[in-house]
């Protein structure tokens, strides 16, 4: 019986694609205060600044490509016969692009939303979005379209599905995240309570590294393909 696996990814899995992380050297939060660009109050106070911040990040997606770590997880999603949920904190579309064209899979959720989506601030409707949201026409309901990003103080998406998967998993793997932000930082504890094995794949020890039964440190493009090949080999024998 193939193991049930939950994978959590953070900005570190996209770093080698050229997407800035948040808390590393020249990270996004070095150049911007969270309170100015990533809270509902910031959007109410200065929607132009907030829209421009996310418009720039959305435009940058066209200049980056999925890396070997994204492609390895897409293969896992296609080939793993057991239960699998890939939970990303990332709002880039690199996991999605790596999986495009691969049959099956689709076991990926964006818990912090997506740059490639717009959300109506009034009715809550979402729609795929490319290009700038600054100056976009309003929603059909008349509401303003905002980035479909879960800001600080807002409830992450898919939490019921994520918590159910963690409660039932045999293996929890955290990739490229600092363990600085909840609820994602608490997922390893939920997995341990479920009796799961726990593995951290990260460039440096995260804030939560002591919670993991095993930690491997190095670049995601090295660690993740190697781990995926090992796990898929389990199903060969
Ligand atoms: N390979 C593997 N890990 C890497 C690499 C790499 N090439 N480069 C950096 N890392 C690791 C860093 O060591 C760090 O632990 O990725 C992690 C990035 O941490 P953060 O910048 O804090 O990003 P993340 O953990 O995803 O932030 C979580 O915080 O601001 C919010 O909503 C935002 O989703 C984000 C959340």
């Amino acid at each position: 019986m193939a193991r049930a696996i939950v994978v959590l990814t953070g900005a570190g899995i996209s770093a080698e694609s050229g997407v800035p992380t948040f808390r590393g050297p020249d990270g996004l939060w070095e150049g911007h205060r969270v309170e100015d660009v990533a809270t509902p109050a910031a959007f109410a106070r200065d929607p132009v600044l907030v829209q421009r911040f996310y418009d720039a990040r959305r435009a940058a997606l066209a200049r980056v490509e999925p890396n070997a770590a994204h492609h390895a997880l897409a293969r896992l999603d296609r080939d793993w016969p057991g239960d699998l949920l890939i939970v990303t904190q990332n709002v880039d579309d690199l996991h999605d692009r790596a999986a495009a064209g691969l049959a099956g899979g689709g076991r990926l959720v964006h818990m912090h939303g997506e740059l490639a989506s717009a959300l109506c601030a009034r009715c809550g409707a979402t729609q795929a979005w490319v290009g700038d949201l600054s100056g976009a026409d309003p929603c059909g309901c008349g509401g303003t379209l905002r980035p479909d990003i879960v800001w600080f103080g807002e409830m992450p998406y898919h939490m019921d599905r994520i918590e159910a998967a963690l409660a039932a998993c045999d293996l929890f793997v955290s990739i490229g995240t600092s363990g600085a932000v909840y609820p994602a930082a608490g997922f390893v504890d939920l997995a341990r309570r479920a009796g799961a094995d726990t593995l951290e794949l990260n460039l440096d020890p995260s804030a939560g590294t002591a919670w993991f039964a095993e930690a491997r440190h190095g670049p995601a493009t090295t660690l993740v393909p190697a781990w995926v090949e090992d796990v898929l080999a389990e199903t060969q024998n």
Side-chain angles (χ1 to χ4, degrees):
M1 174 75 170
R3 294 190 287 175
I5 302 176
V6 175
V7 177
L8 172 69
T9 69
I13 200 170
S14 297
E16 290 163 90
S17 293
V19 179
T21 62
F22 292 94
R23 296 171 181 83
D26 63 39
L28 270 174
W29 295 150
E30 297 306 307
H32 301 275
R33 287 173 1 110
V34 167
E35 309 81 78
D36 293 342
V37 291
T39 65
F43 188 64
R45 182 172 59 246
D46 190 344
V48 171
L49 172 71
V50 173
Q51 294 285 31
R52 277 212 311 262
F53 176 69
Y54 289 97
D55 286 348
R57 292 176 65 193
R58 189 176 306 105
L61 290 181
R63 299 191 291 273
V64 296
E65 293 293 330
N67 63 49
H70 297 107
H71 287 298
L73 289 184
R75 282 197 303 280
L76 182 71
D77 192 3
R78 180 191 61 190
D79 298 340
W80 184 249
D83 287 339
L84 171 69
L85 186 62
I86 301 171
V87 183
T88 189
Q89 299 172 90
N90 299 342
V91 295
D92 65 52
D93 60 352
L94 296 181
H95 281 299
D96 312 77
R97 285 160 58 188
L102 292 187
R107 297 181 282 188
L108 166 72
V109 292
H110 286 263
M111 65 179 288
H112 288 166
E114 299 177 69
L115 286 169
S117 174
L119 167 69
C120 173
R122 175 184 293 175
C123 73
T126 59
Q127 57 184 293
W129 198 269
V130 179
D132 289 352
L133 269 170
S134 302
D137 291 338
C139 173
C141 79
T144 301
L145 292 184
R146 54 162 272 190
D148 187 11
I149 301 292
V150 177
W151 285 327
F152 287 90
E154 294 183 323
M155 177 58 77
Y157 288 138
H158 309 291
M159 286 307 293
D160 291 345
R161 183 175 175 192
I162 295 167
E163 286 168 355
L166 287 166
C169 77
D170 303 302
L171 173 61
F172 173 68
V173 184
S174 177
I175 300 170
T177 183
S178 61
V181 174
Y182 285 81
F187 289 172
V188 60
D189 184 44
L190 294 179
R192 285 163 52 105
R193 291 169 190 272
D197 285 337
T198 52
L199 170 63
E200 173 177 88
L201 304 178
N202 209 58
L203 191 64
D204 311 304
S206 72
T209 196
W211 290 98
F212 289 85
E214 184 188 355
R216 298 173 197 165
H217 296 132
T221 55
T222 303
L223 294 179
V224 178
W227 171 72
V228 167
E229 299 322 312
D230 286 350
V231 160
L232 288 177
E234 278 178 21
T235 61
Q236 304 311 316
N237 44 39

